[in-house]
Amino acid sequence: MALPTTTPSSWMRGLDLPSRLFETGSDDYELYEEDDEFVLNVELPGFDVADIDVFWDDSMLNIAAEREDEQRGERRTYHRRFRFPKRVDDEGIAANYTNGILEVHLPVETGATARGKQIKVEG
């Protein structure tokens, strides 16, 4: 008898359950740094502004959205967290939701540098 070569849960990988359950995907956001600020664009089509919550806590940005469609009996949820490598001026964070895109601007504190260290790769 041959031993299985896959893990017991490998059959679920093809179902893409986390993406379907929480309606997220690997390309539902764009994050970049320009002009001393981080800019985050998140695709949230079908939500209203009142459905979206944005929270900042200890270098972590949390975005959550929830919407119930009573006519269809459906509930849509979205949740994602983003950690930033530089100190952000939390008083200057601004968010705008237009045409299904949430845009968050996170200004970097003056003189803030990335924390950490470079790791030498040996080969």
Side-chain angles (χ1 to χ4, degrees), residues 85-87 108-109 111-115:
K86 295 181 181 178
R87 288 192 310 255
V108 175
E109 285 186 359
T113 59
R115 294 173 284 202

Side-chain angles (χ1 to χ4, degrees), residues 1 4 16 18 21-23 29 37 40 45 63 68-69 89-90 94-96 103-104 110 112 115 119:
M1 179 171 143
D16 196 23
L21 288 176
F22 301 106
E23 297 187 16
Y29 71 92
E37 73 175 354
L40 173 67
I63 298 174
E68 290 194 37
D69 187 345
D89 175 14
D90 57 348
N96 185 36
E103 183 172 273
V104 184
T110 305
R115 294 173 284 202
I119 309 298

Side-chain angles (χ1 to χ4, degrees), residues 22-63:
F22 301 106
E23 297 187 16
T24 64
S26 60
D27 59 354
D28 62 351
Y29 71 92
E30 177 184 33
L31 176 63
Y32 56 94
E33 184 178 4
E34 74 174 10
D35 299 329
D36 296 326
E37 73 175 354
F38 290 106
V39 179
L40 173 67
N41 292 306
V42 181
E43 296 177 11
L44 293 170
F47 288 98
D48 293 326
V49 172
D51 300 333
I52 302 169
D53 292 314
V54 179
F55 297 100
W56 175 258
D57 184 36
D58 194 28
S59 298
M60 180 85 69
L61 183 72
N62 293 297
I63 298 174

Side-chain angles (χ1 to χ4, degrees), residues 75-87:
R75 181 176 166 197
R76 294 184 60 204
T77 61
Y78 177 93
H79 185 259
R80 191 174 286 270
R81 292 181 180 185
F82 300 89
R83 181 171 296 278
F84 293 85
K86 295 181 181 178
R87 288 192 310 255

Side-chain angles (χ1 to χ4, degrees), residues 5 10 12 17-18 20 34-35 37 50 73-74 78 102 110 115 122:
T5 58
S10 65
M12 294 177 66
L17 285 179
R20 290 186 184 185
E34 74 174 10
D35 299 329
E37 73 175 354
E74 294 177 350
Y78 177 93
L102 174 67
T110 305
R115 294 173 284 202
E122 296 181 23

